[in-house]
Amino acid sequence: MNKKLFYTLVIAGIVLAGILSVGLGAVSIPPVEVATLLFNKMLGVKDDQANLQHEAIVIIVRLPRLLLGLLAGAALGISGASIQGIFRNPLAEPGLIGVSAGASLAAVAVIGLEGVLFAGLSNLLGYYLLAFGAFAGAGVTALIIYNISKHEGRPNITTMLLAGIAINALAGALTGLITYLASEQQLRNITFWLLGSLGGATWQTIIALLPFVLIPTILLPFSGKALNAFSLGEAQAGYLGIDVDKVKKRVILLSTMAVGSAVSLTGIISFVGLLVPHIVRLVIGVDNTHVLPASALLGALMLTIADLIARTIIAPIELPIGVITALIGAPVFLYILIRDKRKLII
Amino acid sequence: MLTVNNISFYAGQRTLVSDVSFSIRPGEMVALLGANGAGKSTLLKMLAGMHKPAKGHVVFNGKALNEYSTTELAKHRAVLNQQNNVSLPFTVGELVMMGRYPYFKNSPSKNDEDIVNEVMDAAGITSMAERSYLTLSGGEQQRVQLARSLAQLWEQKKALLLMDEPVTGMDILYQQQTLAILKSMARKGHMVVCVLHDMNLASHYADRVLMLKNGRKWYDGTPQEILQPKPVYEIFEVEADIVINPSTLKQMIMPREVVFNYKQQNLNPTDMESTQNALKQRYTEYKAENPKKRIREIATDLNVSEAELVATGIGETAIPLKKDFEKLLKRVHDLGYVMALTRNEYCVSERKGVYEKISFTPHAGLVLGEDIDLRLFMQNWQFGFAVNENDRRSLQFFDKAGTALHKIYLTDKSNEQAYQTLLNDFTDNTVQAIQVAAKTSRPNTEMPDDAVQIGDFQTAWKGMSDSHEFFGLLKKFNVSRTQALRLAPEGFARKLNAENFRKACELCSGENVPVMIFVPNHGCIQIHTGNINKLVEMGPWYNVLDPEFNLHLRMDAIAETWHVIKPSTDGDVNSIELYDENGDMILQMFGKRKPGVPELNEWREVIAGLEPVTEPIN
């Protein structure tokens, strides 16, 4: 498909899904009213006829949630594409560099051991303790894996992959241990976090998250050319004038930053980072200078739709978003896999 | 200009490249040859700036390689790897465009696009531009990579192309086309270094050949100079023949057949010892059942080499010797009066005397005593043992396949003390078992007669001033010995009836005509000079049994008998030569002669009495 057409469709999709997403829910607000409301709000126009209850729902609850979905989706999509590029492996995803496992372990630890270890901190940070903990956990694990994989000052990608698997397993075991010891209430919280949710969105969290996602999303596409060269192997990329070590460090740092900050607020959302770049490549080709920004956009769109489904399908009960992404993502991924077996064989 | 000064590279304790120097001029296409693991790829990576040499440095167009920035180097040096796995299904056009990456930041210029189109044309891949790289065949992929590397340098001058096996996996047309493209790049003024495994391609396309072995530069020169049997054997351990392609007049290298020997494949010492113990048992039993058989025959019967049988006695009857044979041989003089034994498949020569005037030149070792007269080809000597068979003590030497080359037996008059001292100095206690190479079979690779420049060959024969020039003649015209005799000028070689050797011996014995008898193998030629007296026939063996000299010859193995005349400044030199059915020389007999003195008349009379084969020969 034409790249411009793809971009147009995805952006149109985001606008449409956004309006739907803001409108649909326990209280339904017609799309026209949503559009007017947002339009007026943006332009600062005072509308006397506006439904104040609707306005409150849109501005305080649904809009931040939409934005969190867009940011987290963009972060997962673009990081997924970048990590696949740097690892030269289409099955790689941000989880490989330990971000998800580290965030999970830290989050579960915060929930499970809150009363024991983090009582003081909890008072101080309140709700944000969980987010901070998860972000710290993501960063620390990524750092450990990165340092293990370093050989003579440069990260070795194969070692990194293997170290990632080992550290992920270790973090998973510790997470399991804490889960096993958790109380009934803690268990619910843990499960909820591990399956992901956009429920924690507030304007404060959005503003805190914004730079962590925006900076990587803007900067990563500049590594697109370098990641193309990476597909020939690191050595050949070097021969083509790419500063291989710098690119690796930059991509790993930016991806960790984006995904770590996103999952710290949303919990684990599986399959987006893996699936989105694949769909993009099938549609517009494999050139990373386009795959990267397009993955950010498609990721944003997918997560918005997933959240919409999670909130509405058995309303008023809200399903974990990770369940939806996996439920939709896994069959789609399998479908692509079976249809394009040959193309995917490396 | 690329100048490489004494560069080395190590991986931990292992030396991958050691002290290599050379330089390449713009316009030159250099083929880099060597066995697997010789260090070719490592060297290439150093030239590419990927590996920093541990020692030495590389200067590229007047500037040290490590002073180039990554981008600057990318514009003047392209690399084609041995393996080109691409992890994403890029289109061919996109992939070739990667060659232009050093030239643009975000999107390619018109110029970049034009160049991509040009190189795709040159590599013949324009029609595939939109296809996914991963759907291409290996050879097509390699061409795409070639186009990519050309795109990298297309508008540059004096750039460097480093190609690691660029034609591996291609069909013969694309192999040739690829090398032709590379050669044309060289002719444009670039420098091309190309790792090749096909020596015939190197012969046709390279201006120069570098051969590496064990990380060192072994040979450097034109293909005509380097692609010769000796360098090829040294580098690859494969025997090969060189033929001139009649239509291109370029050299062609034809490797000879190699026989697979599983025993050679990385046996570890324990395996070697247990194999040896099993063999020892078989040997002991077989010897008990066949007490009369000689070790060489037993070796043949058991399908092992003689050296392996000797090695079963390590610790009891055999002492391994250090592989410092030249030093050892120089000390054989101290042993005094000994018996030297040299044999080939069908003939044994035993001569008693003292080893004197022992010296070594790069070509051969010499023992030039009155009694013991030897030419030694040390490059074929591999194993040495001091052997004690029921108090018959000897030093025995074998080639790498375990075939005996030369033996030195002590006599009653030998110096025992000196023998002990020699053993003390040369015993190698580290050897517990040996591992022999497969016997190299020698298929008959004689050139067809009509490919030999017979006229020139015959003129050269007639023009010889010394009989020693004969060997050079064989090499120059690339003919085998028996072929040379067949193509000899009229009157210079005649085929004799098989009985004539016996007849000549009887005449020489009866008339007391002193002779010279040469018994050769590939490690040693033993020459007996003197009279022969007692002639004895025993079964298939014809023997000379004199006190100082014994000869045992298998008459039934003689396939051809020749009378050969070689001109010299001292007049014609006549010889009788015996060959086996493979065309290998069994024995050669001359009249006793010295340089500067004409041949004995008595010998000429003996020769005159010989009868040629009755049917005419061509």
Side-chain angles (χ1 to χ4, degrees):
Chain A
M1 192 192 293
N2 185 309
K3 293 183 180 89
K4 270 186 194 149
L5 181 63
F6 179 79
Y7 285 124
T8 319
L9 283 179
V10 174
I11 289 170
I14 289 174
V15 172
L16 202 69
I19 290 171
L20 270 178
S21 172
V22 172
L24 292 179
V27 177
S28 279
I29 305 166
V32 181
E33 191 185 338
V34 172
T36 326
L37 206 153
L38 289 179
F39 194 67
N40 288 342
K41 205 71 194 167
M42 264 191 276
L43 297 177
V45 178
K46 195 90 178 134
D47 183 358
D48 294 337
Q49 290 172 352
N51 182 331
L52 287 180
Q53 193 209 350
H54 285 182
E55 191 180 308
I57 290 175
V58 168
I59 302 299
I60 297 172
V61 182
R62 295 203 184 147
L63 206 53
R65 186 171 181 133
L66 170 67
L67 288 174
L68 180 58
L70 291 174
L71 288 176
L76 290 170
I78 197 166
S79 309
S82 309
I83 295 287
Q84 287 172 4
I86 211 95
F87 279 86
R88 308 186 66 228
N89 188 333
L91 292 179
E93 52 136 0
L96 263 185
I97 47 174
V99 188
S100 313
S104 301
L105 175 59
V108 169
V110 168
I111 297 167
L113 307 173
E114 199 176 6
V116 195
L117 293 177
F118 305 114
L121 273 176
S122 184
N123 290 339
L124 200 69
L125 296 169
Y127 174 79
Y128 295 109
L129 180 61
L130 188 59
F132 274 117
F135 186 56
V140 168
T141 347
L143 202 67
I144 291 174
I145 292 175
Y146 180 80
N147 275 311
I148 291 176
S149 73
K150 230 165 46 174
H151 177 66
E152 288 168 1
R154 31 173 81 176
N156 178 312
I157 290 297
T158 315
T159 317
M160 193 162 191
L161 199 92
L162 295 173
I165 291 171
I167 297 284
N168 277 339
L170 188 63
L174 291 174
T175 308
L177 189 66
I178 299 171
T179 311
Y180 187 71
L181 299 172
S183 71
E184 200 70 15
Q185 177 56 36
Q186 286 170 338
L187 207 57
R188 280 194 65 80
N189 288 343
I190 288 173
T191 314
F192 198 70
W193 196 89
L194 286 182
L195 292 174
S197 163
L198 300 182
T202 64
W203 281 106
Q204 277 158 303
T205 55
I206 295 300
I207 286 163
L209 178 63
L210 202 62
F212 285 94
V213 174
L214 228 47
I215 292 172
T217 310
I218 290 165
L219 291 183
L220 278 172
F222 288 105
S223 298
K225 206 180 82 172
L227 291 178
N228 284 348
F230 259 72
S231 72
L232 302 182
E234 285 181 32
Q236 192 55 257
Y239 297 143
L240 286 169
I242 308 292
D243 189 336
V244 173
D245 293 334
K246 209 168 94 184
V247 170
K248 275 194 277 191
K249 286 178 192 163
R250 196 165 64 194
V251 167
I252 290 165
L253 176 73
L254 290 174
S255 300
T256 308
M257 187 169 149
V259 178
S261 59
V263 296
S264 70
L265 290 176
T266 64
I268 303 300
I269 298 174
S270 48
F271 261 101
V272 177
L274 177 63
L275 183 63
V276 164
H278 274 289
I279 297 176
V280 170
R281 282 193 209 103
L282 287 174
V283 180
I284 63 164
V286 298
D287 182 352
N288 281 305
T289 53
H290 290 288
V291 169
L292 262 49
S295 295
L297 288 175
L298 190 66
L301 174 62
M302 273 197 43
L303 214 58
T304 308
I305 296 174
D307 186 49
L308 187 61
I309 296 170
R311 283 192 300 116
T312 54
I313 196 158
I314 48 167
I317 297 172
E318 190 186 318
L319 283 176
I321 191 168
V323 172
I324 303 294
T325 53
L327 263 181
I328 302 172
V332 172
F333 189 67
L334 284 174
Y335 169 71
I336 296 173
L337 214 60
I338 292 164
R339 199 192 63 178
D340 295 310
K341 256 184 225 168
R342 214 165 69 88
K343 267 198 201 171
L344 289 166
I345 290 169
I346 303 301
Chain B
M1 182 92 167
L2 180 78
T3 314
V4 177
N5 281 322
N6 302 90
I7 56 172
S8 301
F9 191 80
Y10 312 102
Q13 296 291 313
R14 288 193 310 137
T15 305
L16 299 187
V17 170
S18 177
D19 215 20
V20 170
S21 298
F22 58 90
S23 59
I24 299 174
R25 291 189 310 275
E28 234 178 344
M29 171 135 168
V30 178
L32 195 56
L33 264 58
N36 294 128
K40 305 182 296 290
S41 294
T42 310
L43 178 61
L44 222 56
K45 281 178 185 156
M46 283 195 280
L47 302 186
M50 182 185 196
H51 285 346
K52 239 179 110 183
K55 280 190 209 151
H57 56 275
V58 181
V59 179
F60 176 39
N61 288 341
K63 186 164 147 185
L65 199 63
N66 54 13
E67 285 171 21
Y68 281 83
S69 76
T70 325
T71 333
E72 203 184 347
L73 199 54
K75 289 179 183 171
H76 294 92
R77 171 275 284 125
V79 182
L80 187 60
N81 289 333
Q82 208 168 330
Q83 277 166 346
N84 292 293
N85 295 327
V86 173
S87 58
L88 291 170
F90 283 98
T91 65
V92 168
E94 283 171 332
L95 216 139
V96 176
M97 183 55 87
M98 289 187 197
R100 302 302 298 169
Y101 277 6
Y103 297 89
F104 65 86
K105 198 153 167 55
N106 290 312
S107 46
S109 69
K110 175 81 175 56
N111 183 39
D112 293 323
E113 277 163 8
D114 290 345
I115 286 175
V116 165
N117 289 333
E118 279 178 48
V119 296
M120 287 207 293
D121 262 349
I125 53 168
T126 306
S127 63
M128 311 175 193
E130 295 302 319
R131 277 180 65 188
S132 160
Y133 177 82
L134 296 182
T135 64
L136 303 180
S137 72
E140 290 170 332
Q141 291 188 342
Q142 193 74 348
R143 269 190 293 151
V144 174
Q145 297 286 353
L146 176 70
R148 194 216 71 234
S149 54
L150 296 184
Q152 217 176 321
L153 313 168
W154 199 241
E155 73 270 54
Q156 301 294 347
K157 293 199 164 57
K158 293 195 266 180
L160 179 62
L161 277 99
L162 301 170
M163 305 277 137
D164 199 350
E165 298 187 27
V167 298
T168 306
M170 285 187 174
D171 66 35
I172 50 170
L173 173 65
Y174 286 130
Q175 289 190 357
Q176 308 259 359
Q177 284 185 349
T178 300
L179 290 172
I181 291 172
L182 290 176
K183 191 155 187 174
S184 77
M185 289 298 277
R187 292 297 176 263
K188 273 173 76 176
H190 297 299
M191 294 164 259
V192 181
V193 183
C194 207
V195 174
L196 289 177
H197 279 302
D198 187 328
M199 284 179 282
N200 291 322
L201 288 176
S203 167
H204 277 85
Y205 289 95
D207 300 313
R208 206 168 122 201
V209 172
L210 284 181
M211 273 191 178
L212 293 189
K213 183 178 178 178
N214 300 334
R216 291 182 172 276
K217 186 175 89 171
W218 219 261
Y219 288 100
D220 181 352
T222 65
Q224 292 73 31
E225 290 164 350
I226 307 297
L227 300 173
Q228 294 289 347
K230 183 168 173 280
V232 170
Y233 186 79
E234 274 180 57
I235 301 295
F236 297 102
E237 293 182 12
V238 168
E239 294 189 32
D241 300 290
I242 306 298
V243 195
I244 306 295
N245 180 334
S247 56
T248 61
L249 297 180
K250 302 237 180 179
Q251 274 156 264
M252 309 244 297
I253 296 88
M254 306 205 305
R256 293 183 186 171
E257 186 183 355
V258 173
V259 177
F260 177 69
N261 178 357
Y262 77 94
K263 277 186 273 178
Q264 228 179 324
Q265 308 291 320
N266 306 320
L267 275 184
N268 67 41
T270 353
D271 288 343
M272 274 161 57
E273 277 172 46
S274 68
T275 315
Q276 188 165 299
N277 286 336
L279 179 61
K280 183 175 185 172
Q281 203 176 341
R282 277 166 69 206
Y283 179 35
T284 317
E285 288 166 9
Y286 199 86
K287 217 162 36 171
E289 289 165 19
N290 304 281
K292 282 194 173 164
K293 285 212 172 180
R294 296 194 170 208
I295 185 165
R296 193 173 173 111
E297 295 170 275
I298 298 177
T300 312
D301 293 349
L302 295 180
N303 196 20
V304 292
S305 68
E306 189 177 337
E308 285 170 290
L309 290 185
V310 170
T312 61
I314 291 176
E316 294 165 22
T317 56
I319 301 168
L321 298 174
K322 287 180 191 159
K323 215 194 141 182
D324 202 354
F325 300 136
E326 295 191 4
K327 263 198 192 133
L328 188 154
L329 284 166
K330 282 185 182 165
R331 298 244 315 251
V332 171
H333 173 75
D334 302 344
L335 306 183
Y337 189 77
V338 292
M339 190 261 276
L341 183 151
T342 300
R343 70 167 294 171
N344 54 47
E345 205 57 43
Y346 305 111
C347 187
V348 187
S349 168
E350 300 168 1
R351 183 67 158 92
K352 287 180 183 160
V354 181
Y355 280 62
E356 286 167 318
K357 299 185 190 162
I358 307 164
S359 65
F360 291 91
T361 73
H363 306 292
L366 302 167
V367 178
L368 298 175
E370 281 292 313
D371 302 320
I372 308 286
D373 190 357
L374 306 169
R375 308 290 173 270
L376 306 166
F377 312 111
M378 301 312 294
Q379 70 272 22
N380 292 327
W381 290 42
Q382 181 69 29
F383 304 108
F385 293 97
V387 181
N388 187 342
E389 310 152 274
N390 308 322
D391 277 343
R392 255 193 110 201
R393 277 161 303 168
S394 59
L395 301 170
Q396 306 192 355
F397 304 95
F398 302 87
D399 72 0
K400 66 184 187 338
T403 308
L405 297 173
H406 189 62
K407 298 180 184 176
I408 302 164
Y409 282 89
L410 294 197
T411 66
D412 297 344
K413 293 184 237 165
S414 302
N415 184 338
E416 301 267 344
Q417 188 61 44
Y419 184 71
Q420 280 314 323
T421 326
L422 189 126
L423 290 197
N424 288 342
D425 291 349
F426 286 93
T427 297
D428 185 349
N429 287 318
T430 61
V431 177
Q432 293 303 320
I434 62 161
Q435 198 182 329
V436 300
K439 264 192 187 162
T440 40
S441 66
R442 288 207 310 141
N444 188 4
T445 51
E446 211 169 72
M447 279 205 307
D449 286 354
D450 49 18
V452 180
Q453 289 147 309
I454 298 179
D456 294 350
F457 171 69
Q458 294 188 342
T459 317
W461 182 317
K462 289 182 199 159
M464 274 193 288
S465 59
D466 187 300
S467 57
H468 292 118
E469 290 171 19
F470 191 70
F471 187 64
L473 203 68
L474 297 178
K475 275 195 89 171
K476 186 177 170 196
F477 289 91
N478 198 15
V479 292
S480 73
R481 271 186 185 271
T482 41
Q483 187 177 25
L485 301 182
R486 214 165 52 231
L487 302 177
E490 180 76 43
F492 282 79
R494 54 183 180 133
K495 204 171 183 180
L496 302 177
N497 275 328
E499 277 311 295
N500 278 294
F501 176 70
R502 201 194 310 254
K503 192 173 164 192
C505 287
E506 280 162 9
L507 279 169
C508 291
S509 164
E511 302 290 324
N512 276 330
V513 180
V515 293
M516 298 174 85
I517 296 179
F518 289 60
V519 176
N521 63 40
H522 53 288
C524 180
I525 300 174
Q526 181 159 321
I527 306 159
H528 160 74
T529 308
N531 292 324
I532 48 173
N533 297 310
K534 191 177 174 192
L535 305 175
V536 182
E537 195 145 5
M538 285 189 290
W541 294 95
Y542 189 68
N543 306 285
V544 178
L545 299 177
D546 291 338
E548 307 277 290
F549 174 64
N550 282 4
L551 183 82
H552 313 287
L553 172 69
R554 275 284 304 223
M555 294 303 280
D556 54 350
I558 301 170
E560 291 180 31
T561 308
W562 288 84
H563 166 215
V564 184
I565 298 173
K566 293 167 195 141
S568 86
T569 43
D570 309 323
D572 286 352
V573 177
N574 292 280
S575 62
I576 301 174
E577 304 186 351
L578 310 181
Y579 293 90
D580 67 15
E581 59 179 7
N582 291 328
D584 289 331
M585 187 187 280
I586 301 175
L587 177 151
Q588 207 178 12
M589 181 154 78
F590 294 88
K592 180 180 176 180
R593 54 180 282 269
K594 277 183 187 161
V597 183
E599 207 171 46
L600 289 172
N601 264 329
E602 294 93 320
W603 171 250
R604 291 199 170 155
E605 282 165 20
V606 169
I607 291 286
L610 303 178
E611 289 157 20
V613 175
T614 30
E615 75 268 28
I617 51 161
N618 318 325

